[in-house]
Amino acid sequence: MIVLLHGFPQDRQTWDGVAVELEAAGHEVFRPELRGYGESSSRRRRAYTLDALAADVMAQLDRAGIGRFDLVGHDLGALLGFHLAGLHPDRVRTLTAFSVPHRGAWSRPGLRQLLHSAYIGLFQLPLLPELLLTPRLLERHLRRSGLDPDSARRYARAKNRRALHWYRAFPLQRRQSPRISMPTLYVWSDKDEFVTERLARRCGAWVDGEYTFRILPGVNHWIPELHPRLAAELILNRCR
């Protein structure tokens, strides 16, 4: 079983193209409903800490009768994937993370990364981001960052604004994400405007198991949507 975790402002359809490839290769795929998207939402910031989000995903996996699994995440789904894998090494067989590294890498991000991540500070404000992120503005920003028009339009019009609490809960997550013991692939693309290479290269310091760092030249942040076949190939190579 391969479990796929999406990021913000994405949704489970983020993985459509990847899931087709994985299923064609004979794998079952499970895409949890992540808190803050659609009807899976809460108004409390503390409900969106990595601890709470990981527990939410594990509860869905338990209800589905899923034991050990290969875990894949993109964007904030990758951040959550590292946390969940560290908490449950007995359940996670392999980890593949796209774009965003282990939370520990963020302890010394560097000035350039802080500038790239300035939006996270804005997201800490109550209500203002929800007012500013109109569908039109969000769609324009997503397209400017390299996302295809259809996905940008769908994400911009989705019921996902409560997922801003993922960012607002960062200061409430006191416990560092655990170190990673299972085989791990971390994939970063050199046209990603949200994550710098310096930050990406710090990820491996938090992995004790077999670790592979892969750089995708000429590729932007939106790997699952724009390069589903490549993403699936990388996942399958890690899962073997």
Side-chain angles (χ1 to χ4, degrees):
M1 178 66 69
I2 300 178
V3 176
L4 304 172
L5 307 177
H6 66 79
F8 179 83
Q10 298 156 302
D11 55 31
R12 290 186 294 181
Q13 289 180 260
T14 294
W15 297 107
D16 280 356
V18 178
V20 167
E21 300 289 337
L22 297 178
E23 290 168 349
H27 290 269
E28 292 183 280
V29 171
F30 185 80
R31 291 181 271 183
E33 180 72 42
L34 298 180
R35 190 172 295 184
Y37 299 86
E39 302 305 319
S40 297
S41 58
S42 169
R43 296 181 182 276
R44 297 173 54 251
R45 281 196 309 159
R46 193 166 294 280
Y48 295 84
T49 63
L50 291 174
D51 284 340
L53 294 167
D56 195 23
V57 170
M58 291 303 296
Q60 293 184 57
L61 295 172
D62 289 343
R63 287 195 296 271
I66 298 172
R68 280 175 62 79
F69 54 91
D70 297 288
L71 183 60
V72 180
H74 174 252
D75 188 75
L76 290 185
L79 191 73
L80 174 58
F82 277 112
H83 194 76
L84 189 154
L87 292 176
H88 301 280
D90 57 321
R91 299 281 295 276
V92 180
R93 198 173 71 87
T94 67
L95 173 64
T96 302
F98 291 96
S99 302
V100 174
H102 189 286
R103 184 169 177 254
W106 294 81
S107 59
R108 295 171 56 193
L111 178 59
R112 186 161 169 257
Q113 181 61 56
L114 290 175
L115 293 174
H116 279 262
S117 303
Y119 64 93
I120 296 177
L122 172 65
F123 288 171
Q124 300 302 310
L125 300 174
L127 299 180
L128 183 61
E130 284 86 344
L131 295 174
L132 292 177
L133 285 178
T134 63
R136 183 177 180 181
L137 181 62
L138 182 56
E139 180 180 347
R140 184 187 310 160
H141 173 71
L142 292 173
R143 293 183 65 169
R144 189 176 298 159
S145 70
L147 186 60
D148 65 280
D150 288 343
S151 295
R153 188 175 304 110
R154 188 176 78 251
Y155 297 160
R157 285 158 175 72
K159 296 180 180 179
N160 56 19
R161 299 304 191 271
R162 196 160 290 171
L164 289 168
H165 285 340
W166 282 51
Y167 296 97
R168 290 171 178 148
F170 284 171
L172 304 179
Q173 177 62 45
R174 302 301 184 186
R175 175 169 57 170
Q176 180 58 276
S177 295
R179 300 183 66 83
I180 305 302
S181 59
M182 69 284 302
T184 299
L185 168 65
Y186 172 49
V187 181
W188 175 79
S189 43
D190 66 2
K191 298 301 181 184
D192 192 319
E193 67 174 48
F194 302 104
V195 178
T196 64
E197 183 173 353
R198 168 179 168 162
L199 187 72
R201 290 192 177 278
R202 288 177 52 81
C203 184
W206 292 86
V207 181
D208 297 325
E210 177 190 342
Y211 178 68
T212 303
F213 175 44
R214 175 77 180 270
I215 297 177
L216 303 182
V219 175
N220 66 30
H221 181 77
W222 309 102
I223 301 170
E225 293 92 343
L226 303 183
H227 305 277
R229 180 167 295 179
L230 174 58
E233 289 175 357
L234 292 168
I235 294 166
L236 291 171
N237 286 337
R238 178 74 286 173
C239 292
R240 290 194 179 104

